[in-house]
Amino acid sequence: MKTAIVTDSTAYLTLEERQRLNVYMIPLSVNIEGTIYDEEIDITASEFYDRVRGAKEFPKTTQPPIGKFVELYETLAKEYDEIVTIHLSSGISGTFQGAVQASDMVEDVNVYAFDSEVAAYLQGFFVIEAAKKAAEGASGEEIIAHLELLRPTREEYIVVDDLQHLQRGGRLSAAAALIGGLLQVKPVLTFQNKVIVPFEKIRTRKKALRRVEDQLAVAVEKHGALRATVIHGNCEEEAVELMNSLAEKYPTVEFTLSYFGPVIGTHLGEGAMAMGWIKKI
C-alpha cells in the first residue's frame, strides 16, 4: 500500500522536512497591496513582515483553488494507491472543505481528508505523524485512525500583541477584540470547536507566556512524553530563549522551533507567540 501525504502551507514544515518526509504541499496565498504571493514559495516569513510593516492596506489571505487540489491528487494517483490530505482548521479557513470537494472529483485513488482543527506547526505534527505511518506502509484508514488517537492530546495557546489583526481578518469576534483593547491585556487564545477563542485575559506578555507554561506542565503531568513547538511571529530570539528554558525544565518534552508564515501571520500580527503539543505515542 502506497499512501501519499498532502498538506497546505500553513503547517509551516520547512522544505527540508517536506522532502525528507515525502510530503506534498499546496500553498495558501497572501495579497499585499495588490500583489499575490504563494506563501512558502514566493515569499518568506521575514520578507512578509518587512513588507507588511510599511504597507498602507491590511493584507488579505486566500485559500487554494479547488483545481490545485484536483491537479495534485490526479498526479499522485499515478503513483499512489491512497492519499491522506491534512489541513488547517475548517473553522478558520475553507481549505479543508476545498480538499474534500476536490477528493470527490478525482477517480482512481482514495482520498482521506483530515481536519487538524488547529494551524501552524501543531498542524505540522499531524502531518509528520502521518508521513511516518505512510513510510511504514500504513493505509489511509490506519493513518486517519492514528491521527484521531492523537487529536484529544493536542493543545495550542497563542499570545498576540494586537487583537485587531484577528478582528479585521474575521477570525475573532469584534466583542472579544474590543474587550482586549479596553483592558490593555495580552490575552491567551486557543482553539475550541475549530475556531480561535479567548482562553484567559492576562495583563502582561510575560505573565501570559507563564500561564501557557502552566498548561504545558499540566500536560506533562498527564501524558508524560510530549512533542511540543514554540512558534513565533518574527520574534525568533525571544522564542529561542523561551524554548531553551522550557527544554531544561521539561526533559520528557521534545521541542521544535517554528514560525507563523504570511497567511497565519496576517491574522495574528508580528510579535505573536504560541506553544502547542501532542502526546508522543
Side-chain angles (χ1 to χ4, degrees):
M1 179 67 69
K2 287 191 68 179
T3 306
I5 306 301
V6 175
T7 191
D8 58 74
S9 55
T10 64
Y12 299 123
L13 296 178
T14 65
L15 176 60
E16 185 278 329
E17 286 176 310
R18 296 198 305 270
Q19 290 176 337
R20 175 168 49 83
L21 295 166
N22 199 28
V23 169
Y24 298 87
M25 185 272 285
I26 289 183
L28 279 75
S29 303
V30 61
N31 184 329
I32 305 174
E33 297 187 314
T35 302
I36 298 173
Y37 304 90
D38 285 346
E39 72 168 354
E40 302 291 276
I41 296 174
D42 300 328
I43 188 170
T44 66
S46 59
E47 287 170 346
F48 164 76
Y49 289 109
D50 286 344
R51 292 181 191 181
V52 166
R53 212 173 291 122
K56 296 177 182 178
E57 297 177 14
F58 187 69
K60 297 179 178 66
T61 58
T62 308
Q63 67 195 56
I66 291 177
K68 290 279 190 183
F69 286 105
V70 173
E71 183 181 357
L72 177 59
Y73 295 165
E74 287 180 341
T75 299
L76 293 175
K78 298 172 184 176
E79 185 181 348
Y80 293 90
D81 304 304
E82 297 183 326
I83 298 169
V84 172
T85 190
I86 302 166
H87 300 286
L88 78 162
S89 177
S90 60
I92 62 172
S93 171
T95 303
F96 172 76
Q97 193 55 43
V100 171
Q101 291 174 349
S103 68
D104 293 334
M105 300 167 67
V106 178
E107 299 178 354
D108 302 323
V109 66
N110 291 324
V111 181
Y112 297 85
F114 182 79
D115 183 350
S116 73
E117 301 186 3
V118 287
Y121 205 77
L122 198 59
Q123 171 190 337
F125 279 152
F126 287 116
V127 179
I128 292 167
E129 287 290 324
K132 288 177 179 176
K133 287 291 182 182
E136 294 169 0
S139 67
E141 196 170 87
E142 290 168 336
I143 291 169
I144 293 294
H146 178 65
L147 300 184
E148 292 289 1
L149 193 64
L150 284 170
R151 193 202 294 281
T153 74
R154 70 109 179 110
E155 294 180 70
E156 184 171 53
Y157 299 94
I158 309 161
V159 178
V160 296
D161 269 352
D162 184 359
L163 284 170
Q164 297 305 314
H165 294 277
L166 279 163
Q167 183 193 359
R168 282 182 293 190
R171 269 54 177 194
L172 191 69
S173 75
L178 178 63
I179 291 169
L182 286 175
L183 297 180
Q184 293 298 302
V185 299
K186 299 296 181 188
V188 178
L189 308 172
T190 191
F191 277 89
Q192 190 175 90
N193 298 322
K194 304 179 185 180
V195 297
I196 298 172
V197 299
F199 172 71
E200 208 165 284
K201 294 181 175 67
I202 298 172
R203 288 281 180 180
T204 68
R205 182 181 180 89
K206 187 176 181 179
K207 288 181 179 178
L209 292 172
R210 195 178 302 141
R211 184 69 182 91
V212 176
E213 183 185 340
D214 291 342
Q215 294 301 107
L216 173 64
V218 171
V220 170
E221 183 70 24
K222 181 178 180 180
H223 299 298
L226 301 172
R227 297 187 195 281
T229 179
V230 176
I231 313 170
H232 68 91
N234 208 35
C235 48
E236 182 173 353
E237 190 175 325
E238 181 185 9
V240 169
E241 186 178 336
L242 174 63
M243 187 180 74
N244 290 341
S245 170
L246 293 172
E248 286 185 15
K249 293 181 185 178
Y250 303 97
T252 64
V253 181
E254 179 185 316
F255 286 94
T256 303
L257 182 72
S258 190
Y259 56 92
F260 290 121
V263 169
I264 302 299
T266 291
H267 300 292
L268 296 182
E270 190 169 14
M273 289 264 286
M275 285 200 322
W277 51 82
I278 60 171
K279 182 179 180 178
K280 272 189 180 181
I281 294 181

